[in-house]
Amino acid sequence: MTIAKDIMHTGATWIPAHETLDRAAQLMREHNVGALPISANGGQDRMIGILTDRDIVIDCVAKGRDPSKVTAGDLAQGTPRWIDAGAEVEEVLEEMQNHRIRRLPVVENKKLIGMISEADLAQHLSDDQIAGWAEKVYAHS
């Protein structure tokens, strides 16, 4: 039985809600990631959203906003999705498919321990599983 903890990559890096998007982009480059969980009040105990590289481009730069003035918290929206470290891979796929998300934080004992991305799925799942996931996540509604 494959579980979330088996397919995630460890070391997810937080960004405090008050940090600016230019700093977020620097962190993404330093850690070679495309998404950062956003923490409330600078602490790493409560996730209020996930900031992606696409968010920075679409919701800031493309709108003519200054990434040195817009904060990660400004772009946090909706309820962040996450999965328990012990969840079976089918649950991971279902969560990502149902919410049409490409990155999913993994939590163990109420602590963020990693993140599952498309690359992680590609490394650990069968071609059929990946094809089914991609069809549902990328399908136009």
Side-chain angles (χ1 to χ4, degrees), residues 35-93:
L36 301 168
I38 304 169
S39 64
N41 305 320
Q44 295 185 4
D45 56 347
R46 195 173 126 246
M47 183 172 48
I48 62 167
I50 303 232
L51 178 67
T52 67
D53 46 9
R54 187 175 193 281
D55 294 332
I56 295 171
V57 171
I58 301 297
D59 295 330
C60 180
V61 177
K63 291 182 178 178
R65 299 169 74 188
D66 183 347
S68 69
K69 293 188 168 63
V70 179
T71 67
D74 291 337
L75 297 189
Q77 52 187 294
T79 302
R81 308 304 310 176
W82 55 271
I83 195 88
D84 185 79
E88 292 184 27
V89 73
E90 290 77 16
E91 293 175 71
V92 170
L93 294 174

Side-chain angles (χ1 to χ4, degrees), residues 7 9 96 102-104 115-122 133:
I7 65 171
H9 60 273
M96 294 174 86
R102 298 176 202 137
R103 297 170 180 101
L104 187 63
M115 187 88 74
I116 297 174
S117 68
E118 293 169 291
D120 300 313
L121 296 179
W133 175 85

